[in-house]
């Protein structure tokens, strides 16, 4: 784990016994089914315990947009214009919150994809959500515009870019993301961290193929802000001329880290990818203290 303040790179809830590409955070089930208990005393004790555990303050908010972002990925916007305290609590890219959908007790933990300035200016939080069969995220992606969900307060420390500031002292910033892990990276890039004042800012973004790669419409905008986007496809279609394989392999082929002491790193996505790249960079002399790890 990084020595930096930690913020999980969560984009959706995934309920599986296998290792998730992102941290899987589980909510506490509430007590809807206690009415089936035959022992009222036991039921009331369990109910009280559940209430004590579920002390989260939930804010109802309507969905303002749901549309496809890529294969199995959805762009979701939630109107928080009537919740100024909630908007004000989002201060740094990489922060996240819990989201509950109607008639489902277990919430999803999701990173906010839009930058804090977007929430302040437009009164909305945007998310990139992967729809997984049987999950809360699947139900969320099936809702309609105008339906209401519930949001917790914003959580986590987010990306502490002060660790690799000022830009003049850290001209190289290497960013790595896989799958829906691009969500908080979008917030980071669009918040701005002086990429245009750094000489080498690269984003290695991995997906199975172009159909599963979100935010392609934003690549030119990101490039104009000073971030070179390097898409990496593990199962590309015929005709693909770019990088292939896994992100860590693509990076290994062209590391080009000229000054390890002046290099910052941001990682978000699959754990194996993050660990292999971290090991690679540490071996080249990059300080682990300058790696912002969210996986």
């Amino acid at each position: 784990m990084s020595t930096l303040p930690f913020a999980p790179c969560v984009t959706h809830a995934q309920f599986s016994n296998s290792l998730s590409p992102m941290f899987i955070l589980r909510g506490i089930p509430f007590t809807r089914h206690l009415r089936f208990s035959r022992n009222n005393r036991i039921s009331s004790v369990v109910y009280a315990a559940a209430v004590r555990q579920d002390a989260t303050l939930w804010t109802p908010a309507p969905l303002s947009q749901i549309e496809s972002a890529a294969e199995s990925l959805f762009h979701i916007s939630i109107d928080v214009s009537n919740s100024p305290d909630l908007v004000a609590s989002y201060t740094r890219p990489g922060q996240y919150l819990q989201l509950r959908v109607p008639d489902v007790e277990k919430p999803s933990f999701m990173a906010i994809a839009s930058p804090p300035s977007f929430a302040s200016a437009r009164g909305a939080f945007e998310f990139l959500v992967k729809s997984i069969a049987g999950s809360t995220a699947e139900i969320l992606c099936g809702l309609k515009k105008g339906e209401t969900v519930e949001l917790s307060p914003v959580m986590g420390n987010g990306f502490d870019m002060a660790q690799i500031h000022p830009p003049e002292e850290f001209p190289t910033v290497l960013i790595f993301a896989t799958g829906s892990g691009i969500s908080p990276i979008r917030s980071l890039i669009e918040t701005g961290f002086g990429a245009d004042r750094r000489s080498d800012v690269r984003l290695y973004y991995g997906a199975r193929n172009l159909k599963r790669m979100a935010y392609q419409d934003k690549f030119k905008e990101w490039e104009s802000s000073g971030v070179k986007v390097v898409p990496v496809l593990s199962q590309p279609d015929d005709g693909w001329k770019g990088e292939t394989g896994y992100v860590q392999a693509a990076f290994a082929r062209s590391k080009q880290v000229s000054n390890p002491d002046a290099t910052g790193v941001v990682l978000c996505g699959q754990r194996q990818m993050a660990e292999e790249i971290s090991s690679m960079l540490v071996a080249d002399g990059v300080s682990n203290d300058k790696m912002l790890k969210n996986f």
Side-chain angles (χ1 to χ4, degrees):
M1 182 177 292
S2 170
T3 57
L4 301 177
F6 181 73
C9 180
V10 285
T11 55
H12 56 271
Q14 179 177 347
F15 307 109
S16 169
N17 291 326
S18 61
L19 181 64
S20 168
M22 259 66 71
F23 272 127
I24 302 172
L25 302 177
R26 294 176 171 82
I28 300 170
F30 205 54
T31 53
R32 178 177 301 175
H33 303 295
L34 289 178
R35 61 179 178 273
F36 297 113
S37 173
R38 296 181 180 180
N39 189 319
N40 289 335
R41 181 178 179 185
I42 293 176
S43 177
S44 62
V45 170
V46 174
Y47 178 86
V51 169
R52 285 196 300 271
Q53 293 181 63
D54 188 11
T56 305
L57 176 64
W58 296 98
T59 299
L63 297 173
S64 55
Q65 185 179 15
I66 301 179
E67 63 182 18
S68 176
E71 189 176 288
S72 77
L73 293 171
F74 288 81
H75 171 79
I76 292 180
S77 181
I78 299 177
D79 184 354
V80 292
S81 58
N82 291 326
S83 307
D85 290 344
L86 182 60
V87 170
S89 68
Y90 179 35
T91 60
R92 185 184 285 177
Q95 290 183 297
Y96 59 97
L97 50 68
Q98 295 181 75
L99 183 150
R100 291 199 306 199
V101 299
D103 301 319
V104 177
E105 295 165 354
K106 184 169 289 187
S108 290
F109 283 69
M110 296 189 296
I112 305 171
S114 50
S117 59
F118 186 92
S120 300
R122 303 193 187 183
F125 286 160
E126 293 187 338
F127 302 89
L128 181 66
V129 182
K130 184 174 183 179
S131 179
I132 299 175
S135 71
T136 302
E138 181 185 37
I139 298 172
L140 171 63
C141 295
L143 296 179
K144 306 290 186 182
K145 178 180 177 179
E147 291 194 73
T148 298
V149 296
E150 292 181 313
L151 304 178
S152 76
V154 176
M155 306 174 180
N157 296 319
F159 294 114
D160 185 7
M161 296 303 288
Q163 297 291 330
I164 52 176
H165 189 82
E168 295 75 18
E169 295 183 13
F170 295 92
T172 298
V173 175
L174 305 171
I175 307 171
F176 302 89
T178 54
S180 53
I182 194 64
S183 177
I185 298 301
R186 174 202 157 189
S187 178
L188 173 67
I189 293 172
E190 295 182 7
T191 295
F193 59 96
D196 58 341
R197 292 183 286 141
R198 304 177 195 260
S199 58
D200 180 18
V201 180
R202 281 173 272 162
L203 165 62
Y204 290 83
Y205 175 18
R208 180 177 299 178
N209 52 50
L210 286 177
K211 292 179 181 178
R212 297 205 173 194
M213 182 166 278
Y215 297 144
Q216 293 179 55
D217 59 328
K218 292 182 174 291
F219 287 177
K220 288 185 178 179
E221 175 188 335
W222 294 353
E223 295 247 3
S224 67
S225 73
V227 179
K228 179 182 178 181
V229 181
V230 184
V232 184
L233 305 182
S234 60
Q235 298 178 23
D237 298 329
D238 294 339
W240 172 248
K241 303 299 183 183
E243 292 286 350
T244 60
Y246 293 118
V247 165
Q248 53 269 47
F251 176 64
R253 289 193 290 268
S254 59
K255 283 190 291 185
Q256 299 176 351
V257 179
S258 57
N259 187 351
D261 292 333
T263 298
V265 182
V266 181
L267 301 116
C268 189
Q270 189 182 38
R271 179 184 293 273
Q272 182 178 347
M273 175 275 291
E275 291 179 344
E276 289 185 14
I277 288 177
S278 296
S279 297
M280 222 185 299
L281 289 169
V282 168
D284 285 344
V286 178
S287 172
N288 193 57
D289 291 340
K290 303 305 177 184
M291 297 185 190
L292 284 65
K293 302 176 184 178
N294 294 292
F295 55 90

